[in-house]
């Protein structure tokens, strides 16, 4: 059959010396990798804010920012559009030490690129007035191998900076809107930073100005500028303010008398930075001018100065105003005042000169411009006198009676007291003290002379001292002789 034939052929081939190849196998080693995810938890900032509890935010802040206190406030957001990034920013519970010393803490802000840590020296992403903010930024648009030099010039960074500032200010606005103890505590700690921002950040000045608060004569508490405007008198287009060292001192200022009588609200600014803010914030809300009532030319809303100071009164007091201008140093002019009610006189700065509070601040600056400051402080001031004051009328009578010496003494004392009550320093403390002593002596019916006396010296004590000195000298000589004898 066929199988038998095939076997026969195979045997025949074998017999012919041909052998078939043997089948062989080769062992091959292949490595197979199997990945096991050890940490499948997303970074906190990569998660949705709705999924994160307040406790998680607080614990993350303490761990990542190395702080033992809970944050006062935080904002967590994702930016989309031309660039994409995620940010988590915190307001510390207490202000960091040296917040305004020009050296922000290097690790306040951290930079991540696609969740890979790049640097913690990222504090220049926020302006100086927000140097207290801590947090992180995770960008998808920056390269992983970015250097610090490239980072500072990268256009993406400018966009991130702009959006971060807007988000931080929005967080402050939420705090202000909520009010309560949380806002009060925040403003107490960081109010100065907001004022610094209103000075330096022109792009966000309008937003920051609406967050500023100052003491008010109407409420007795801190008030927003928007609330002041809402309470303003009809036709009022100015926000009146007075700056000084403390609230009690300002409330006693003669410059407030007419404003109190008319019920016009005045803001009391006691922070040294406040006047710098008003210089940069020319108008609030584009309409209301910030007006310092410590300067000349201030008029109340709906007020006509001629109702209080008539031409006849000006003519009547002209001898006195001319006398005061000529006899008092530092007074460029003397005028009848429409703002005084009870006080006899007040001193105000020129429209472009330093106010009393600004003079005090500039003098306290160790590295200030003494030349320019001296010019501003020495600019002429205006002495305003109250024509309804009995003291002023009596002084006018002395001038008209040509009692020059007596009038000059009273005028000098009136001027110095006006300086003090208006917030200025006394020009000559010794002369002022002498004038006060003269006034006390006149009131008591005596003079300022001092009874002469001679110092009594006890001669017996002097003789005893001389004897003691002689005994000491004799003892010294005996010791020297004994030493010489021993040497021999």
């Amino acid at each position: 059959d066929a199988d038998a034939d095939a076997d026969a052929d195979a045997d025949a081939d074998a017999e012919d010396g041909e052998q078939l190849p043997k089948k062989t196998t080769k062992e091959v080693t292949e490595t197979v990798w199997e990945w096991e995810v050890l940490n499948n938890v997303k970074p906190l900032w990569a998660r949705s804010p709705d999924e994160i509890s307040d406790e998680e935010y607080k614990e993350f802040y303490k761990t990542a920012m190395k702080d033992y206190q809970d944050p006062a406030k935080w904002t967590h957001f994702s930016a989309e559009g031309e660039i994409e990034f995620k940010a988590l920013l915190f307001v510390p519970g207490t202000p960091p030490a040296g917040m305004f010393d020009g050296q922000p803490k290097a690790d306040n802000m951290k930079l991540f690129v696609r969740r890979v840590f790049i640097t913690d020296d990222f504090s220049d992403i926020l302006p100086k007035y927000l140097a207290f903010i801590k947090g992180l930024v995770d960008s998808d648009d920056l390269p992983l191998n970015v250097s610090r030099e490239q980072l500072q010039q990268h256009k993406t960074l400018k966009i991130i900076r702009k959006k971060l500032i807007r988000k931080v200010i929005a967080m402050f606005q939420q705090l202000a809107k909520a009010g309560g103890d949380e806002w009060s505590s925040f403003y107490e700690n960081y109010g100065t930073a907001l004022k610094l921002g209103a000075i330096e950040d022109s792009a966000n000045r309008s937003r920051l100005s609406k967050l500023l608060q100052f003491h008010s004569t109407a409420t007795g508490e801190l008030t927003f500028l928007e609330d002041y405007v809402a309470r303003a008198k009809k036709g009022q287009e100015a926000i009146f303010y007075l700056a000084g060292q403390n609230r009690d001192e300002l409330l006693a200022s003669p410059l407030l008398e007419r404003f109190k009588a008319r019920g016009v609200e005045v803001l009391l600014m006691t922070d040294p930075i406040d006047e710098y803010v008003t210089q940069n914030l020319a108008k609030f809300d584009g309409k209301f001018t910030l007006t310092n009532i410590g300067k000349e030319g201030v008029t109340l809303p709906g007020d006509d100065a001629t109702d209080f100071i008539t031409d006849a009164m000006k003519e009547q007091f002209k001898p006195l105003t001319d006398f005061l201008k000529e006899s008092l140093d530092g007074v460029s002019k003397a005028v009848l005042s429409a703002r005084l009610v009870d006080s006899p006189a007040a001193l105000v700065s020129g429209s472009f000169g330093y106010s009393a509070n600004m003079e005090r601040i500039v003098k306290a600056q160790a590295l200030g411009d003494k030349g320019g400051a001296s010019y501003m402080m020495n600019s002429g001031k205006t002495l305003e006198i109250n024509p309804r004051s009995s003291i002023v009328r009596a002084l006018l009578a002395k001038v008209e009676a040509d009692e020059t010496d007596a009038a000059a003494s009273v005028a000098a004392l009136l001027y110095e007291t006006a300086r003090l009550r208006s917030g200025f320093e006394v020009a000559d403390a010794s002369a002022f003290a002498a004038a006060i002593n003269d006034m006390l002596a006149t009131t008591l019916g005596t003079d300022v002379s001092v009874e002469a006396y001679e110092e009594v010296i006890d001669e017996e004590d002097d003789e005893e001292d001389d004897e003691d000195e002689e005994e000491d000298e004799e003892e010294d000589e005996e010791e020297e002789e004994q030493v010489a004898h021993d040497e021999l």
Side-chain angles (χ1 to χ4, degrees), residues 24-69:
T24 60
T25 59
K26 181 180 179 181
E27 294 183 359
V28 178
T29 302
E30 182 178 353
T31 302
V32 179
W33 296 94
E34 293 183 0
W35 297 96
E36 179 183 356
V37 178
L38 298 178
N39 182 8
N40 58 1
V41 179
K42 289 183 178 180
L44 186 76
W45 64 88
R47 296 162 55 189
S48 171
D50 297 333
E51 301 174 355
I52 307 173
S53 66
D54 290 350
E55 290 302 321
E56 287 181 286
Y57 278 121
K58 293 177 182 178
E59 288 301 321
F60 176 82
Y61 170 78
K62 291 179 180 178
T63 303
M65 304 304 160
K66 300 178 177 63
D67 198 346
Y68 66 93
Q69 292 182 325

Side-chain angles (χ1 to χ4, degrees), residues 258 262 299-309 338:
R258 185 89 190 287
R262 288 285 304 277
T299 57
L300 277 71
D303 188 12
D304 187 356
T306 58
D307 294 341
F308 297 87
I309 308 300

Side-chain angles (χ1 to χ4, degrees), residues 93-133:
T94 56
M99 187 165 59
F100 300 114
D101 61 2
Q103 299 292 332
K105 194 175 180 182
D107 58 353
N108 274 2
M109 292 294 297
K110 307 178 190 300
L111 174 64
F112 291 77
V113 175
R114 292 187 284 277
R115 291 166 296 284
V116 176
F117 175 74
I118 302 299
T119 179
D120 59 0
D121 191 5
F122 196 48
S123 297
D124 51 0
I125 190 64
L126 291 173
K128 180 180 178 180
Y129 72 93
L130 295 179
F132 60 90
I133 295 294

Side-chain angles (χ1 to χ4, degrees), residues 254-255 257-258 337-346 384-386:
L255 302 173
E257 291 176 354
R258 185 89 190 287
S337 177
R339 73 174 94 193
L340 297 176
V341 176
D342 300 318
S343 300
E384 295 190 1
I385 57 175
N386 185 357

Side-chain angles (χ1 to χ4, degrees), residues 59 61 259 325 415:
E59 288 301 321
Y61 170 78
F259 290 88
K325 178 182 177 181
Y415 169 65

Side-chain angles (χ1 to χ4, degrees), residues 211-385:
L211 297 172
L212 303 183
Q213 288 184 297
F214 305 97
H215 290 287
S216 168
T217 57
T219 64
E221 300 175 350
L222 292 173
T223 186
F224 291 101
L225 294 179
E226 282 186 323
D227 295 337
Y228 178 100
V229 169
R231 295 190 295 265
K233 297 288 185 182
K234 184 178 180 181
Q236 180 178 343
E237 295 186 355
I239 296 176
F240 298 106
Y241 72 90
L242 182 62
Q245 296 191 60
N246 58 71
R247 183 170 170 267
D248 293 336
E249 178 183 303
L250 292 175
L251 286 172
S253 173
L255 302 173
L256 282 178
E257 291 176 354
R258 185 89 190 287
F259 290 88
K260 291 179 180 178
R262 288 285 304 277
V264 177
E265 184 177 2
V266 178
L267 298 179
L268 307 177
M269 300 186 175
T270 57
D271 195 332
I273 199 175
D274 287 343
E275 277 204 79
Y276 292 100
V277 175
T278 60
Q279 292 172 7
N280 289 271
L281 187 64
K283 286 191 175 183
F284 175 73
D285 209 14
K287 179 181 178 182
F288 293 87
T289 304
L290 276 77
T291 303
N292 190 342
I293 68 171
K295 295 189 176 184
E296 63 180 357
V298 176
T299 57
L300 277 71
D303 188 12
D304 187 356
T306 58
D307 294 341
F308 297 87
I309 308 300
T310 62
D311 292 338
M313 293 175 66
K314 292 179 182 179
E315 188 65 26
Q316 178 187 358
F317 284 87
K318 190 175 186 305
L320 177 57
T321 54
D322 291 343
F323 174 80
L324 293 173
K325 178 182 177 181
E326 295 172 1
S327 62
L328 298 175
D329 294 333
V331 174
S332 60
K333 59 182 176 180
V335 298
L336 300 184
S337 177
R339 73 174 94 193
L340 297 176
V341 176
D342 300 318
S343 300
L347 191 69
V348 295
S349 303
S351 301
F352 301 101
Y354 281 158
S355 66
N357 184 60
M358 186 58 73
E359 281 194 12
R360 178 181 60 83
I361 293 172
V362 171
K363 286 179 180 178
Q365 293 178 356
L367 303 177
D369 180 10
K370 301 300 182 183
S374 177
Y375 172 78
M376 296 294 291
M377 286 187 287
N378 292 331
S379 59
K381 297 176 176 57
T382 300
L383 180 65
E384 295 190 1
I385 57 175

Side-chain angles (χ1 to χ4, degrees), residues 363 416-417 419-420 424-433:
K363 286 179 180 178
E416 294 295 349
T417 53
R419 283 184 66 93
L420 277 176
F424 293 94
E425 294 181 356
V426 175
D428 187 344
S430 298
F432 180 64

